[in-house]
Amino acid sequence: MPQLIRSSVTPLYHQLAQTLRTQIRSGAIPAGQQLPPERELMEIYHVSRNTVRLAIDALEREGLVDRDQGRGTFAAEPKLQLGVMRLTSFTEDMLERGLTPSSRLVECRTELPPPAIAEKLQLLPNEPALLVVRLRYADAEPMALNSSYFSLAQCPTLASEDLEQGSIYDLLNRRYGITLAKAEQTVRARNATPQEAGLLNVKAGTSLLVVEGTVFSTDNHAVEHLRSLYRSDRYEFRVNPLRIA
Ligand code: GLP
């Protein structure tokens, strides 16, 4: 059994989720087979019950396991995704690709967003939002530049959190009880400006994938307006379209 790395900046539950994910995806734990019970996972990986629960929660959200009250947790039958991209955090996305995520905070300030963004974020007139710009790394190499406005009505103290460590989507859930449900996004290409190129460590003019949109919570509040720039030499989108009659 691979052991978890306690000194890593990647939280233990992410590491445990990744280990179990790999076992499920590779067929080492086939669909329908029961995962070891909580207590056994705690002993095998030397982690707390909470760590095991957070890891299983993440796998459940991804549709990789099903919990059956009283019977245990089982590897799920693979589900087809209906032509949609799953809404993942950068952290989850990288871990699923077998890469180690990290971040550098470039900017964090409260300001009035441009009117079009304020409207998408469902803000009141003159209501500010929190702009967070993070350079996102995968295996210590720049992968993406995330610029997001967060609604302060939804997460009023986000600016005082350590936004350089870990996942903002996790923070939204743990601190503010926000469960993200869906996003409305577009993906297009454009060339990097000299400043973006400098941050992303590519030549100016290199083409980038630009993802832009709004993320909503389960209670239908707009939580984040995002613009993420991905290096097209390192990143590809994964979609599973279905042809339906
Ligand atoms: C993706 C989204 C961003 C979002 C980020 C959160 O990259 N495109 O809009 O801010 O995930 O990632 P994390 O939870 O790892 O901070």
Side-chain angles (χ1 to χ4, degrees), residues 20 35 41 52-60 65 67 73:
L20 295 172
L35 266 65
L41 289 171
V52 171
R53 289 199 174 154
L54 288 170
I56 303 286
D57 283 349
L59 299 177
E60 195 178 20
V65 300
R67 273 187 170 122
T73 304

Side-chain angles (χ1 to χ4, degrees), residues 129-160:
L130 183 71
L131 172 66
V132 179
V133 181
R134 288 176 301 162
L135 188 57
R136 313 301 304 262
Y137 298 84
D139 285 351
E141 258 284 300
M143 173 69 97
L145 186 62
N146 284 167
S147 306
S148 294
Y149 282 98
F150 290 93
S151 161
L152 290 165
Q154 305 303 317
C155 42
T157 55
L158 190 60
S160 60

Side-chain angles (χ1 to χ4, degrees), residues 219-237:
D219 49 9
N220 229 9
H221 288 122
V223 177
E224 177 190 25
H225 186 277
L226 65 108
R227 195 191 62 193
S228 298
L229 307 175
Y230 290 86
R231 276 176 54 166
S232 63
D233 60 334
R234 291 199 78 199
Y235 190 84
E236 60 183 18
F237 278 95

